[in-house]
Amino acid sequence: MLSHENVEDIPERKDVPVSLKWKLEDIYGSDEMVEADMSIIKFKLPELGAFAGRLGTDGLTLLAGLELKDEIEELASRVFVYTHMRKDEDNANPKYQAMHDRAASLAVEVGSAASFVSPEILAIPEESLERFICDTPGLGLYRQYLHSVARRRAHTLTVAEERIIAMAAEMGHGASTIFSMLNNADVRFPSIVDEGGNSVEVTKGRFIKFMESRDRRVRKDAFDALYSSYRSLLNTISASYSASVKADAFNTRVRKYDSSLAGFLDRDNIPVDVYGNLIDAVRSRLDLMHRYVALRKRSLGLDELHMYDIYVPIIPDIDWKVSYDEAREMVKEGLHPLGEAYGAQLSAGLEMGWVDVAENRGKTSGAYSWGAYGAHPYVLLNWQDTLNNAFTLAHEMGHAMHFHYSWSRQPFVYSDYSIFVAEVASTVNEVLLMEHLLRKTTDPVRRMYLLNHCLEEFRGTVFRQTMFAEFEREAHRMFESGQALTPEAMCEKYIELNRAYYGPEIVHDEAIAAEWARIPHFYNAFYVYQYATGYSAAVALANKIISEGVPARERYIEFLSGGSSKYPIDLLRGAGVDMASPEPVVKALDVFERCLTEMESFFANR
């Protein structure tokens, strides 16, 4: 990072070394090529429109229409992904703001133009559709897709109505766009004085590093700096989130679902009970979370534990810094149980422009993996030299490798995997890396440090994400019952949940009531619960890979390669985990309890 006197500055994009940037040129060699594909899409949309009213004619017509739809959607996806990631490099760059806006509008046009497809498929009598599939060479490829459409017959509208909904999609995404710009380009946080006496600007990328500081004053100052900024924007953020919830409710009501939750889960054929079972299972073991909070309070020697004390490692005298280069080697070694082929592709990706490493001004915060079919996947990071960031690298490369296997082994129509399984591959990597480090570590204090990290992963991924999931469910229920989503109502609901999940051994600082206002995933409704279910499935799969070896690994690679060729619950069953049962969640919490008990014993004997 660049520095100027005592004030640490965030570098501009142009000042980041090329070796730390991703190669988006592997998607498009120039912006002119993007413009050319946009023109091709616009040219082909009338061709797609010419199939309207004809898909039920015969199998050949249906096949030709589906192939053209895939061709256009693949191009539109490539354009959208490229422009979005260019914008993510620097959200204040007006060129890519404008280009992505046009790409997003074009994606809406594509959705509108293709909106007749599902209703027309549903209008084909079941026996006729099956005959088309059997008698038309090439149409068998679409069997899963066609059956998936038919499954949602009761929730698909007429051609005209579907077209209106598709045309309105851009307005429905407005709330998310507004929050993203506010959160990534406009919001500024105060500077604080760090441990060395330097004035340092708080950023979302640096926030967790500050929260892990051994200096409690630094933790409190960073906490107050971040949340004071969000609290000053609560009216605006409440309005944007309320608009997002309203859009969710509109779409699910017009599709005749009982609730937004039911509508969103039905996309992947996930029973609503899976969501409720997760919350109930975690709620039934909140005693474990309360024990962990109590252990944290005792081990840190605090009379009062505050929310800004949640992230600091509770093992003393450990300053475990991990550079990006060290993390790459650590991840490669830790994922050795996944086999030579997996390891070779992982290594190639880390060296060949998959990863955008360094934080820069205007860059989208956090971390993600994404990309476009036909190119390789990408990973966005905002690197800090911490062990947590090493696990983040393993996590995001898990996503990337999932994309790689799905894209390389599935046609476009099945190339994307469901969000229900999206967090499985990433978390398997984290679990394997943790097991690797625990095996290598002989120092008992370092072992406790790793166990603390493991407990933190459970806290953040199972307990915290389930709390988020419950908040989302309650927010949608509030709106569906006629209650306004005011800043006061949202903050009251959030701190109520915070008290339940974290328990009586912590001070529930007033500022934490606004934490919901900084969570971007809430604009992708009912997504976050899958972090908790995915983590639970991943613990089971990783343990099978370690204990069974090659057979479990081969089943796992088949799962990664499945894309959306089967329903997600069926893909996981093939890998050896049944997520229709609460058992994986229960067993994951048993692992948490074992780690917690070992740490409690360690501190009891000191």
Side-chain angles (χ1 to χ4, degrees):
M1 292 187 179
L2 303 178
S3 62
H4 179 68
E5 296 180 354
N6 290 331
V7 179
E8 188 176 9
D9 297 319
I10 305 169
E12 300 295 333
R13 181 71 184 178
K14 62 183 175 59
D15 297 321
V16 175
V18 172
S19 62
L20 299 180
K21 295 179 180 179
W22 54 23
K23 289 178 61 179
L24 296 186
E25 295 81 5
D26 293 344
I27 304 178
Y28 283 111
S30 68
D31 292 343
E32 290 72 23
M33 295 173 68
V34 181
E35 299 291 348
D37 271 0
M38 285 186 177
S39 297
I40 291 171
I41 293 166
K42 285 183 175 290
F43 179 78
K44 287 183 175 291
L45 285 180
E47 293 181 26
L48 181 61
F51 280 92
R54 299 173 49 225
L55 292 184
T57 304
D58 54 51
L60 286 173
T61 303
L62 177 58
L63 176 61
L66 293 177
E67 288 178 336
L68 180 58
K69 173 178 172 289
D70 282 356
E71 180 185 351
I72 293 171
E73 289 183 346
E74 182 180 342
L75 281 179
S77 172
R78 182 181 289 250
V79 166
F80 184 88
V81 167
Y82 175 84
T83 58
H84 197 297
M85 290 198 294
R86 279 297 187 203
K87 182 177 74 70
D88 283 347
E89 293 176 341
D90 180 0
N91 282 272
N93 185 322
K95 174 183 178 180
Y96 290 115
Q97 283 182 20
M99 183 178 283
H100 179 61
D101 283 347
R102 290 194 293 116
S105 296
L106 185 58
V108 172
E109 285 186 55
V110 171
S112 177
S115 61
F116 70 91
V117 173
S118 291
E120 288 198 20
I121 291 171
L122 290 174
I124 302 171
E126 202 169 322
E127 60 277 9
S128 298
L129 184 60
E130 192 60 35
R131 188 175 69 253
F132 288 175
I133 294 172
C134 293
D135 294 348
T136 308
L139 193 56
L141 172 70
Y142 289 92
R143 181 183 293 275
Q144 171 68 11
Y145 166 77
L146 292 169
H147 286 175
S148 181
V149 171
R151 180 184 62 81
R152 300 177 69 189
R153 189 180 300 273
H155 305 288
T156 304
L157 309 179
T158 67
V159 173
E161 290 168 334
E162 288 289 343
R163 183 172 180 80
I164 291 171
I165 291 174
M167 291 171 65
E170 190 168 18
M171 291 186 292
H173 296 151
S176 176
T177 302
I178 291 168
F179 176 76
S180 179
M181 294 305 295
L182 180 72
N183 197 38
N184 293 309
D186 293 340
V187 68
R188 284 285 190 272
F189 306 105
S191 293
I192 65 168
V193 177
D194 69 9
E195 298 91 332
N198 303 307
S199 178
V200 183
E201 181 183 352
V202 174
T203 68
K204 293 186 291 294
R206 294 172 182 161
F207 179 65
I208 295 301
K209 185 177 181 181
F210 287 137
M211 289 295 95
E212 293 173 344
S213 171
R214 293 290 178 189
D215 189 329
R216 198 179 191 206
R217 192 266 312 159
V218 170
R219 300 199 301 269
K220 183 179 186 305
D221 288 353
F223 181 88
D224 290 342
L226 186 94
Y227 283 107
S228 65
S229 297
Y230 280 106
R231 289 179 71 84
S232 71
L233 298 168
L234 271 182
N235 289 321
T236 300
I237 296 175
S238 293
S240 69
Y241 184 56
S242 178
S244 181
V245 172
K246 289 175 183 177
D248 297 338
F250 167 78
N251 284 311
T252 51
R253 277 200 302 262
V254 298
R255 294 195 180 282
K256 304 173 186 175
Y257 287 102
D258 293 335
S259 65
S260 293
L261 176 61
F264 275 88
L265 266 60
D266 190 49
R267 296 175 181 181
D268 293 320
N269 201 22
I270 306 296
V272 173
D273 286 349
V274 171
Y275 199 98
N277 287 344
L278 168 68
I279 293 172
D280 292 344
V282 173
R283 277 269 188 177
S284 73
R285 297 311 315 273
L286 285 180
D287 62 303
L288 297 177
M289 184 62 178
H290 299 170
R291 276 173 57 190
Y292 177 49
V293 169
L295 173 64
R296 173 170 284 277
K297 181 180 178 180
R298 292 195 306 273
S299 64
L300 292 175
L302 298 174
D303 294 331
E304 286 187 346
L305 187 76
H306 285 258
M307 293 304 300
Y308 49 79
D309 299 317
I310 283 295
Y311 290 93
V312 61
I314 62 178
I315 302 301
D317 304 321
I318 293 285
D319 185 17
W320 198 338
K321 291 188 179 296
V322 182
S323 71
Y324 178 66
D325 288 340
E326 291 170 334
R328 285 191 303 184
E329 296 308 309
M330 184 185 291
V331 169
K332 290 178 194 177
E333 293 175 10
L335 302 186
H336 181 73
L338 294 176
E340 291 184 8
Y342 186 102
Q345 185 58 62
L346 175 80
S347 297
L350 289 168
E351 302 296 333
M352 295 172 59
W354 286 23
V355 187
D356 200 79
V357 181
E359 184 179 15
N360 61 257
R361 190 168 296 280
K363 182 178 176 180
T364 293
S365 63
Y368 68 65
S369 178
W370 205 18
Y373 185 78
H376 60 72
Y378 290 88
V379 167
L380 178 141
L381 301 173
N382 284 273
W383 186 262
Q384 304 290 327
D385 287 342
T386 66
L387 182 64
N388 279 345
N389 272 235
F391 277 96
T392 297
L393 177 61
H395 180 104
E396 298 303 338
M397 287 305 294
H399 285 308
M401 292 297 289
H402 198 171
F403 280 129
H404 166 74
Y405 277 103
S406 292
W407 293 348
S408 62
R409 300 193 185 182
Q410 294 295 333
F412 176 76
V413 66
Y414 304 126
S415 60
D416 197 12
Y417 49 77
S418 159
I419 60 173
F420 187 76
V421 299
E423 296 306 322
V424 173
S426 55
T427 309
V428 163
N429 280 15
E430 288 196 69
V431 174
L432 292 176
L433 178 58
M434 174 60 71
E435 289 298 319
H436 166 70
L437 293 175
L438 285 171
R439 285 195 304 271
K440 279 185 59 176
T441 303
T442 57
D443 185 296
V445 177
R446 282 208 164 194
R447 179 176 177 83
M448 290 303 109
Y449 187 90
L450 288 169
L451 288 177
N452 180 200
H453 178 88
C454 184
L455 292 175
E456 279 296 285
E457 286 298 296
F458 269 97
R459 182 189 67 79
T461 308
V462 178
F463 289 101
R464 187 167 183 253
Q465 298 299 332
T466 301
M467 183 178 75
F468 285 174
E470 189 168 357
F471 174 79
E472 278 196 275
R473 187 179 69 177
E474 294 309 303
H476 283 79
R477 282 178 173 176
M478 287 162 65
F479 175 77
E480 289 164 359
S481 66
Q483 184 174 347
L485 300 183
T486 64
E488 294 77 15
M490 304 303 289
C491 289
E492 182 180 347
K493 176 55 65 178
Y494 192 85
I495 202 162
E496 173 190 318
L497 291 170
N498 202 80
R499 292 189 183 104
Y501 276 75
Y502 284 91
E505 292 291 329
I506 193 167
V507 176
H508 298 275
D509 303 272
E510 182 182 353
I512 204 65
E515 184 176 35
W516 65 270
R518 73 180 186 93
I519 308 301
H521 278 333
F522 287 162
Y523 293 82
N524 187 1
F526 304 112
Y527 181 97
V528 296
Y529 88 99
Q530 292 157 123
Y531 284 109
T533 55
Y535 194 94
S536 302
V539 169
L541 289 170
N543 286 336
K544 288 176 183 291
I545 291 165
I546 292 169
S547 62
E548 297 178 21
V550 174
R553 184 175 74 207
E554 289 179 348
R555 292 196 305 269
Y556 178 66
I557 298 299
E558 283 301 307
F559 159 76
L560 294 182
S561 306
S564 56
S565 60
K566 296 179 182 178
Y567 294 123
I569 284 183
D570 294 331
L571 286 169
L572 284 170
R573 281 196 185 109
V577 178
D578 185 5
M579 290 308 298
S581 160
E583 182 182 13
V585 179
V586 173
K587 286 191 172 181
L589 293 173
D590 288 343
V591 173
F592 179 85
E593 184 171 20
R594 288 198 296 273
C595 294
L596 176 60
T597 300
E598 183 175 347
M599 287 204 75
E600 288 171 331
S601 175
F602 175 82
F603 279 101
N605 293 324
R606 284 175 68 86

